[in-house]
Amino acid sequence: MKRTQQIELTNMCIIRNGDDILVMDKIDSEFENTITFPGGHVEPNESIEKSVIREIKKETGIDIKEPHLKSIVNFNLGNQNKEFIFVYEAEYNLKTSKGNIKQTYEGKTYWLHKDKIRFCKLNQVIETVYNT
C-alpha cells in the first residue's frame, strides 16, 4: 500500500484592522465571484509562515508581522491529491504594518466590516474558517 501522495500547500490570512477585515474579490482562481482572504501557494523550501508573509505583501502591498495560525483546512483535489490551506490571522495597524493596500491582477482588495461579511457570497473555505 502506497503511503505517500501529492499535497498542495497554500495559505490565506485574515487581516484585521479594528472591526474591519481585509477581503478580496478574486477574479483569477476557483474563488472567482466570491469573497476570500488574501493568500497563495507555499514555494519549495519555504516555511508556511514566511509564505503567508510573502503572499500578503505580493497581493496587498502590506507587510504583516507575527501572523498567528488559526486553522488548517484539508481538501481532496481528486486523483488522490490533497490541498492543505494554512489559515492565519494578523493585525493591521500603523505600528505593526507597513505599506498601503494595493490592487493587483488577482482581484479587488478592500476593508469590510466584520458584521457585513456574512451577507456576502463566501467561498467554502471562508465559510469554514471565518466562523471558527
Side-chain angles (χ1 to χ4, degrees):
M1 174 202 249
K2 185 177 177 183
R3 300 187 81 111
T4 61
Q5 66 185 84
Q6 291 279 58
I7 297 176
E8 183 178 350
L9 301 177
T10 60
N11 64 64
M12 62 174 46
C13 192
I14 301 168
I15 303 172
R16 298 179 185 276
N17 183 10
D19 287 338
D20 292 334
I21 296 176
L22 193 63
V23 297
M24 293 184 80
D25 285 331
K26 286 274 205 171
I27 58 172
D28 72 330
S29 72
E30 70 272 16
F31 296 128
E32 190 170 346
N33 298 319
T34 63
I35 298 293
T36 190
F37 301 125
H41 287 85
V42 179
E43 299 295 334
N45 300 314
E46 181 179 46
S47 75
I48 307 295
E49 185 173 313
K50 289 204 184 294
S51 76
V52 75
I53 292 169
R54 176 186 53 75
E55 283 288 346
I56 297 309
K57 177 70 172 179
K58 180 179 104 176
E59 290 192 358
T60 69
I62 63 173
D63 294 309
I64 58 171
K65 305 277 188 219
E66 301 178 7
H68 301 280
L69 185 63
K70 178 177 174 63
S71 67
I72 301 170
V73 180
N74 175 10
F75 279 112
N76 289 319
L77 299 174
N79 298 329
Q80 297 182 344
N81 294 334
K82 289 187 176 189
E83 177 181 8
F84 287 113
I85 304 173
F86 294 82
V87 182
Y88 282 83
E89 283 188 311
E91 288 291 326
Y92 177 85
N93 62 55
L94 294 176
K95 293 179 181 178
T96 62
S97 305
K98 295 179 182 176
N100 295 318
I101 306 301
K102 71 175 185 177
Q103 304 302 316
T104 70
Y105 66 92
E106 295 188 42
K108 181 181 176 187
T109 304
Y110 56 97
W111 295 105
L112 187 63
H113 192 275
K114 66 181 183 179
D115 293 338
K116 292 184 179 180
I117 288 181
R118 62 188 167 133
F119 299 110
C120 297
K121 183 177 179 184
L122 306 176
N123 68 58
Q124 184 180 7
V125 177
I126 302 307
E127 286 178 350
T128 301
V129 302
Y130 184 68
N131 294 320
T132 59

